[in-house]
Amino acid sequence: MIASYVANFSTANLVSILYVIGIVAEAMTAAVAAGRMRMDLFGVITLGALTALGGGTVRDVLLGTYPLTWVEQPLYLVTVIVAAAVTVRVSWLLVRLRRSFLVADAIGLAAFAVLGIQTAVENGHGFIIACVAAVTTGVSGGVLRDVLSDRVPLVFHKEMYASAAVIGVVVWWVLSWLGIHEWAVILVTLVAVLGVRLFSLKRGWSLPVYEYDEEAAAAYDPRYALTAFMYQRARHIPGARTAYRGLKKMKLPPRSERKRADGERS
């Protein structure tokens, strides 16, 4: 019986299982976020549905894939509603299972990334669009959740989330190019995205963060950069090193005063 079931188990069945895992995990994260914002039950369910189904919806709209997955199969919407409602009742348990919760969220990301890649490939798109589809499916729901929860989306300022989805696209493309069976491609890509996400959480990895320091920007003088460039070009000339060090030690007045002085001279 088991052998017969395995033989009849298709890639579509695997994708459906991954999709259910993904939407349940994302609905749970949204329910917790709604609880932090003290939303009522309707708010919890709405936020859960937007988070769980929003990524796939945005992807399908961008790729022109109709009907939408949850419109064609409303059972997915029911699953999301049930998952969000159940999370409200067992929220006390999530505190004790925080690590398991993070793993579930990572599984959701991996599942959504794989679904995004497969949708793009089935529609005949190339590597770039597959990256867009994977990232869109994986992060759009979380972005909607964070925006409606009045927070800067996590994917924009912390942790490797979208990057893991892009790595999954690379793995998928390499395995497909090698002629690996689709089953193996899906499973290996799923494990790769999941592994990158969990390992980045454990090691605290993230992309470089851009921070604009207004005071540092105001104190910056482009003449220093020009001097450094000229020194690199002419450092073999005797006396260039000494001149460069002398210029670096110069203390220029603030930019506002320099502008005022330039205006007076003009």
Side-chain angles (χ1 to χ4, degrees), residues 240-259:
R241 184 184 298 273
T242 303
Y244 175 61
R245 287 176 178 173
L247 287 170
K248 285 190 67 177
K249 292 179 180 179
M250 289 175 58
K251 292 186 177 180
L252 298 178
R255 174 171 290 187
S256 58
E257 295 184 11
R258 297 201 301 270
K259 286 184 176 179

Side-chain angles (χ1 to χ4, degrees), residues 78-166:
V78 175
T79 302
V80 168
I81 294 173
V82 172
V86 169
T87 303
V88 173
R89 303 301 303 173
V90 299
S91 57
W92 57 272
L93 187 61
L94 297 178
V95 178
R96 295 172 174 79
L97 299 176
R98 185 175 181 275
R99 291 187 177 181
S100 300
F101 194 63
L102 289 175
V103 172
D105 181 66
I107 292 174
L109 169 65
F112 282 163
V114 169
L115 291 169
I117 299 169
Q118 188 185 47
T119 302
V121 171
E122 288 179 349
N123 283 273
H125 297 293
F127 177 80
I128 301 298
I129 302 303
C131 288
V132 173
V135 172
T136 300
T137 311
V139 309
S140 293
V143 170
L144 290 172
R145 175 197 63 210
D146 292 340
V147 169
L148 292 176
S149 300
D150 196 24
R151 298 186 301 177
V152 176
L154 183 68
V155 67
F156 291 155
H157 68 95
K158 194 177 180 181
E159 301 179 2
M160 292 184 65
Y161 213 86
S163 306
V166 174

Side-chain angles (χ1 to χ4, degrees), residues 26-38:
E26 295 301 317
M28 292 174 66
T29 63
V32 173
R36 293 194 182 105
M37 297 298 295
R38 301 181 64 85

